Amino acid sequence: MPDLSDEDAKLVTLARAARARTRAAEGAAVRDTDGRTYAACTVQLDTVLLSALQLATAMAVSSGVKGLEAAAVVTDGDSVDVEVVRYFGGAALPVVVADGNGEVRDVVHT
C-alpha cells in the first residue's frame, strides 16, 4: 500500500479513534482546505442512518468550510461510498480506506 503523508496518516488515526469511542461500524475524518480536521462515526438510529464520511463532511460544512482536500475511512466493510466528498469537495480528492487496525487497504479518488 502507498506511504501516507503525515497529514493523511493523522486522518486515519482520527477516524480510528472516532470509530473506537462508540464501537461504530465506521469512523471517518476529513481535512478542509484550511487544514482543519473533522472526525465522526457511523450514526444508526431507527429513523436515521448516516455513514461516518457523510457525518464528518456535514460537520465540516456546518462549520463553514469552503472545501475539502482529503478524507479517510476506517471500516471492515468491502466498499466506501465517497459521493458526499465528491459532491462537496470535487473530483480527484483522495479518500484513504483503512481497516480497524489502521492498515491502509486502498486510496480511492472522488
Side-chain angles (χ1 to χ4, degrees):
M1 279 294 99
D3 291 329
L4 297 181
S5 69
D6 289 344
E7 290 299 311
D8 288 348
K10 176 183 172 183
L11 289 177
V12 172
T13 299
L14 291 170
R16 285 185 70 208
R19 181 181 185 226
R21 274 193 301 276
T22 60
R23 298 183 183 148
E26 294 180 345
V30 298
R31 184 174 57 249
D32 71 17
T33 52
D34 291 328
R36 294 174 296 195
T37 56
Y38 305 84
C41 64
T42 305
V43 172
Q44 186 170 356
L45 304 172
D46 290 340
T47 58
V48 176
L49 175 61
L50 292 171
S51 74
L53 194 53
Q54 288 171 329
L55 188 52
T57 301
M59 291 170 62
V61 172
S62 70
S63 295
V65 304
K66 301 298 183 214
L68 300 177
E69 64 179 34
V73 178
V74 172
T75 182
D76 294 324
D78 294 329
S79 64
V80 174
D81 183 0
V82 299
E83 185 62 30
V84 67
V85 175
R86 181 181 302 115
Y87 179 80
F88 184 67
L93 292 179
V95 179
V96 177
V97 181
D99 66 18
N101 294 321
E103 295 294 322
V104 177
R105 295 191 329 228
D106 199 5
V107 177
V108 296
H109 290 84
T110 60

